Every structure is written in C-alpha cells, then in structure tokens.
C-alpha cells in the first residue's frame, strides 16, 4: 500500500484529498488521517461523515497535532462539537475549526465575523458594493473565506466568460430559451433534457439540437 494511504504513517505530511501539507490531522476510528480542512468541508459543508480513504462511516473524528491510534485517544475526555462529531485535542485545533467556519469580511480586518453567510453578503453589498455569485453560492461547497466577491462588472464577466485569474473556469453556460445560466455544461445539459424538446433521431446520431 502507498505511504499516503497507510494508517498512522508518521511520514505522511500531505493530505491525500487536497495534497496540502497537514498542520492539524483529522483522525478517525479507522486510523486514516486527512487534514482538518478537508474533514471540516466534508462533515460540515457536505454533511458526509465517511472516511475518504476506506469509506468507513465515522461517528467522531479527532483534530490533533500528534497522531496515535484512535482507540488510545480516549476522545470522550476532549471537547467536542456534537453536531458534527468533531473532537479537539487542544484549544488550537478547536480554534482552527471555528476559524474555517467564520463569515468574516475580507475588507474590514477589525470587524467581528458575521453570524451567517447571508449577513456577510448583506454587509459586502451594503458597505463595499461587492456581490457574490448566486450560482456558485448554491452549488459549490466552499467556506465563506474561499468565496470571491465581485464588483457588478466583474460579476457579469464571471458569469459570461469566467475569471481572469482562473483559466480552468469558462463561465456559467446560458440556456438561450430561458435566459438562465447554470453552474456548468452538465447542469445545462440536464436542464435542456428536462425542460426542452429535442429530436430523437438527431440525438441517436450524436447531433444535439434543442427546441423551445
């Protein structure tokens, strides 16, 4: 088995999910580790509690700097976020978890975090005249600090063509019948098949044409 997939390998310093260096480990009862950021994304944003390595369902994980067998950790003695099943070996691990979930304005450094992402959106629009993409907000499981605020002009360009600093993204494709944009071509395709007409003969030949 690869070192990156081995259990409790002290040489594993990169997360097998995001390939970033691990500063705080997320340890499950299966004894596989990922970084605390990927674990938080899965458990909180995606509501998926399985191990990304072995797919074992994990009722609890421990955020820790020092890795040892889960059965020796006695997680019941550590503070725990019961809603998401995350235990913390120390205050630093707990703070790192909370920091990921903060809704903090990237422009107002001294401002306290907002109580929700909607409150952050309202603040950004009201105080900075900046907007978040509605389509990305609905479909992409991202932390608030990862979401990009746009001016109105930049947001229009983001939807039509994508972002200048991200060449892998080409914008949100448009349904010409509904004048509605979708996350990607797959979402647009599903919409067209569900809401509009197409020729079955052309479809068999691989010529995809749709009609109102």
């Amino acid at each position: 088995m690869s070192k990156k997939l081995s259990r409790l390998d002290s040489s594993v310093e990169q997360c097998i999910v995001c390939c970033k260096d691990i500063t705080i480990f997320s340890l499950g009862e299966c004894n596989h580790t990922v970084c605390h950021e990927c674990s938080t994304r899965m458990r909180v944003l995606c509501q998926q509690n399985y191990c990304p390595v072995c797919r074992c369902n994990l009722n609890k994980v421990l955020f820790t700097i020092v890795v040892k067998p889960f059965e020796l950790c006695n997680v019941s003695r550590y503070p725990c976020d019961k809603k998401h099943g995350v235990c913390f070996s120390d205050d630093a691990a707990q703070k790192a978890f909370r920091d990921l979930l903060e809704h903090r304005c990237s422009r107002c450094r001294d401002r306290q975090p907002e109580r929700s992402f909607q409150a952050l959106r309202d603040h950004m629009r009201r105080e900075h005249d900046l907007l978040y993409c509605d389509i990305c907000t609905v479909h992409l499981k991202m932390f608030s600090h990862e979401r990009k605020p746009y001016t109105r002009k930049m947001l229009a360009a983001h939807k039509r063509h994508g972002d200048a600093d991200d060449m892998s993204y080409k914008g949100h494709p448009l349904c010409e019948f509904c004048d509605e944009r979708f996350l990607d071509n797959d979402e647009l395709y599903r919409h067209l098949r569900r809401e509009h007409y197409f020729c079955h003969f052309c479809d068999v030949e691989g010529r995809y044409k749709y009609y109102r």
Side-chain angles (χ1 to χ4, degrees), residues 142-155:
M142 303 171 70
F143 299 113
S144 291
H145 72 268
E146 295 175 319
R147 298 194 182 278
K148 187 175 181 180
Y150 300 91
T151 63
R152 296 178 189 277
K153 183 178 180 180
M154 289 172 58
L155 180 58

Side-chain angles (χ1 to χ4, degrees), residues 9 36 41 43 58 61 69 84 86 101 141 147 185:
D9 186 344
H36 78 289
R41 191 185 307 277
R43 300 182 77 86
L58 303 174
V61 294
H84 301 108
V86 180
L101 301 178
K141 304 299 183 183
R147 298 194 182 278
N185 288 326

Side-chain angles (χ1 to χ4, degrees), residues 25-157:
F25 294 86
S26 174
L27 174 67
E29 56 192 282
C30 59
N31 284 321
H32 289 127
T33 57
V34 295
C35 73
H36 78 289
E37 185 172 331
C38 287
S39 181
T40 302
R41 191 185 307 277
M42 289 183 65
R43 300 182 77 86
V44 179
L45 303 187
C46 302
Q47 298 183 350
Q48 297 171 339
N49 292 344
Y50 61 82
C51 170
V53 179
C54 66
R55 313 290 288 189
C56 171
N57 187 60
L58 303 174
N59 293 322
K60 287 185 178 181
V61 294
L62 176 65
F63 283 12
T64 180
I65 297 175
V66 179
V67 179
K68 58 183 178 181
F70 186 84
E71 57 271 19
L72 301 180
C73 292
N74 189 17
V75 294
S76 60
R77 68 188 177 93
Y78 294 122
C80 183
D81 181 294
K82 294 183 179 179
K83 180 178 180 181
H84 301 108
V86 180
C87 301
F88 310 99
S89 64
D90 54 33
D91 292 341
Q94 189 170 28
K95 182 179 184 303
F97 174 76
R98 290 174 175 171
D99 287 348
L100 284 175
L101 301 178
E102 281 185 346
H103 308 287
R104 185 180 292 276
C105 175
S106 57
R107 302 298 197 275
C108 304
R109 296 297 182 182
D110 298 328
R111 184 181 177 87
Q112 290 296 310
E114 306 296 335
R115 300 187 66 177
S116 66
F117 179 66
Q118 183 57 52
L120 176 61
R121 293 182 72 171
D122 293 341
H123 165 77
M124 296 296 283
R125 184 186 69 252
R126 184 175 59 250
E127 301 295 332
H128 307 292
D129 198 23
L130 294 174
L131 306 169
Y132 291 97
C133 174
D134 290 332
I135 301 171
C136 292
T137 298
V138 170
H139 291 281
L140 301 181
K141 304 299 183 183
M142 303 171 70
F143 299 113
S144 291
H145 72 268
E146 295 175 319
R147 298 194 182 278
K148 187 175 181 180
Y150 300 91
T151 63
R152 296 178 189 277
K153 183 178 180 180
M154 289 172 58
L155 180 58

